[in-house]
Amino acid sequence: MNQGADGYLKGRILCPSAETEPRAYSNWNANNRSILGFMGLVIDEAEQEIIDGASTAAAAWKLLVQRHAQEGPIKQVQLIQEALNVGYSTSEKYSTTSSKLTTLNKRIWDMGSLDSELFLCIMMINSMSNVPELCATRENVAQQFAQSDGTKPDLKKNPTARKYNSSDIKQALDMAQGLVDSDSKTADIALSAQASQKSGFCHPKCSIPGCPRPIGHTKDWCVSPGGGMAGKTIAESREARLKE
């Protein structure tokens, strides 16, 4: 069954003539519809939209292969991470794990061969993954990369090709660093201003010798002997200050 399905997916089993082989034609269409239906069940919604117009399993499979081959370095990063996290275990048959690794390896290399420049870009993009401050930068880099013609486009064949490489990523990171530095300076200035305000504020102090509570008022409002409010209560002194 798997070999038969593979023949439909790869286009090796061609559709017979409806006129000369009506029964074979009917069987082929039934099998083709079954495979298309199964594909629709196991792929995600975004991929379902891609194969929506495909009338044969081979056409749908070709569209899916093209999609995954063009997903770019971001997807390669994810697949490489996924592959490196796969491990052999007694809880799963070793052959099953080997099959997973084989599939992941094929998908990684189907996206294009890695050279030193592309691999550097992948490492830089991957290194932004767990930094909240670089979330927007990473998304922008990913978008720019997807819209470009790669790190080393053939400008002779296509003079209008748009190159995007590690230099562009470094430039984006420099801009992000500038924002971080700016935010840091702003925070330092704010803290400095707060410290200055606190250090510049002094509580009034009474100069009357023997005042039991000298902090919080001056001589003019002190109720102790010799003070401006001598003989008054603290409440009366406070009320008088509020009226001024």
Side-chain angles (χ1 to χ4, degrees):
M1 178 64 183
N2 288 337
Q3 292 180 350
D6 186 67
Y8 280 85
L9 293 173
K10 300 298 178 61
R12 292 195 300 269
I13 300 178
L14 302 177
C15 181
S17 170
E19 296 181 359
T20 59
E21 300 179 83
R23 180 174 295 180
Y25 174 81
S26 178
N27 290 336
W28 188 94
N29 276 287
N31 291 335
N32 180 67
R33 286 194 297 270
S34 296
I35 295 172
L36 278 173
F38 179 75
M39 291 173 69
L41 291 174
V42 297
I43 60 179
D44 59 36
E45 292 184 4
E47 291 176 331
Q48 288 175 8
E49 294 179 1
I50 290 175
I51 69 170
D52 188 49
S55 59
T56 66
W61 182 254
K62 184 177 180 180
L63 290 171
L64 289 175
V65 170
Q66 290 176 346
R67 168 181 167 81
H68 288 288
Q70 296 172 357
E71 285 176 310
I74 298 297
K75 188 62 179 181
Q76 276 188 312
V77 167
Q78 295 172 347
L79 290 176
I80 290 172
Q81 288 177 328
E82 184 180 348
L84 293 176
N85 287 330
V86 173
Y88 289 99
S89 170
T90 54
S91 62
E92 181 178 68
K93 289 186 177 181
Y94 297 149
S95 59
T96 301
T97 305
S98 296
S99 179
K100 287 181 181 178
L101 290 171
T102 301
T103 300
L104 286 169
N105 181 63
K106 185 177 186 306
R107 288 185 63 189
I108 290 169
W109 289 100
D110 281 347
M111 292 180 180
S113 299
L114 295 175
D115 55 35
S116 60
E117 177 61 26
L118 179 57
F119 193 69
L120 173 58
C121 292
I122 289 175
M123 289 192 295
M124 294 173 76
I125 293 170
N126 183 54
S127 297
M128 298 184 217
S129 298
N130 298 318
V131 185
E133 292 82 0
L134 290 176
C135 180
T137 301
R138 187 175 188 271
E139 290 179 0
N140 180 58
V141 167
Q143 183 179 11
Q144 294 296 323
F145 221 128
Q147 295 174 351
S148 74
D149 296 293
T151 58
K152 295 180 180 179
D154 191 337
L155 298 178
K156 291 183 178 179
K157 291 183 178 180
N158 184 10
T160 61
R162 180 171 173 270
K163 181 175 70 173
Y164 195 88
N165 57 22
S166 60
S167 296
D168 297 292
I169 299 178
K170 289 176 182 177
Q171 186 175 1
L173 287 168
D174 287 341
M175 292 178 63
Q177 184 67 61
L179 292 174
V180 171
D181 293 344
S182 177
D183 290 343
S184 178
K185 289 180 180 178
T186 301
D188 289 343
I189 292 172
L191 289 173
S192 177
Q194 290 177 0
S196 297
Q197 290 175 354
K198 290 181 179 179
S199 62
F201 179 76
C202 297
H203 291 283
K205 185 176 182 180
C206 180
S207 60
I208 298 294
C211 177
R213 296 180 180 178
I215 304 300
H217 65 276
T218 61
K219 176 182 178 181
D220 294 335
W221 303 104
C222 186
V223 297
S224 299
M229 297 293 288
K232 303 290 185 180
T233 64
I234 294 177
E236 290 173 329
S237 175
R238 184 179 296 114
E239 185 178 353
R241 274 184 286 173
L242 292 174
K243 289 181 179 179
E244 283 205 349

